[in-house]
Amino acid sequence: RCAVKDIGKLREFFKKDRYIIKNGIEIVEINQDFAICKAEIGEGHLNAKDMVQGGMIYTIADFTFAVLANYLHDFTVTQSATITYINQAVCKTLFAKSVELDATKHNCIHQVRVYDEKDITIARVQINGFIL
């Protein structure tokens, strides 16, 4: 199995994800039930209206899914995702929490909540992962 059950090894594995590192996304917590990641928001994350750009919101959700899925299963990639933006993101810190809803031998479904430091929900994302 390729599942990475040690948080230190998981962090080392994801240090290879240069896009995540460049965007300042970090793993906060991981266990059997959920994963939480965060990013401190800077000028480079903002759109023309000074809100967090939608791509950053999706990116933190997708990464948080990847952290939990690869903790629970063999190497897993996003197969499909649906994002619903609920509130504008005018914040200093963005968080995402992923929980697994269901899984089979080669598929898993996660719900990810993206929220800010005031616990305001920014987006909800459902991700279907393919377990290799």
Side-chain angles (χ1 to χ4, degrees):
R1 289 184 58 87
C2 297
V4 183
K5 295 290 186 186
D6 177 273
I7 192 165
K9 289 180 182 178
L10 192 70
R11 282 191 170 111
E12 282 300 311
F13 174 75
F14 281 115
K15 278 185 181 178
K16 298 174 194 169
D17 195 327
R18 292 161 298 280
Y19 189 75
I20 295 305
I21 300 301
K22 180 164 178 59
N23 279 286
I25 301 172
E26 326 172 353
I27 300 169
V28 174
E29 187 175 353
I30 177 89
N31 59 49
Q32 287 293 121
D33 299 317
F34 64 86
I36 298 175
C37 294
K38 76 172 185 172
E40 298 301 325
I41 300 303
E43 288 291 315
H45 297 115
L46 303 179
N47 64 20
K49 293 289 280 178
D50 292 326
M51 297 181 291
V52 179
Q53 210 277 342
M56 178 61 180
I57 296 166
Y58 176 80
T59 296
I60 194 171
D62 185 58
F63 179 67
T64 307
F65 153 76
V67 169
L68 182 58
N70 284 284
Y71 180 80
L72 296 175
H73 308 290
D74 289 342
F75 188 70
T76 305
V77 296
T78 299
Q79 186 171 11
S80 65
T82 302
I83 186 166
T84 302
Y85 296 95
I86 299 168
N87 284 296
Q88 62 184 3
V90 181
C91 56
K92 295 179 182 175
T93 309
L94 202 59
F95 296 90
K97 181 176 182 180
S98 181
V99 295
E100 185 167 87
L101 302 178
D102 211 345
T104 64
K105 183 177 179 181
H106 289 291
N107 289 282
C108 60
I109 298 172
H110 288 221
Q111 177 73 35
V112 184
R113 176 179 175 247
V114 180
Y115 56 100
D116 67 12
E117 70 273 5
K118 295 176 186 169
D119 201 33
I120 295 170
T121 299
I122 305 301
R124 295 254 182 203
V125 187
Q126 185 164 309
I127 301 177
N128 180 17
F130 181 73
I131 304 164
L132 300 176

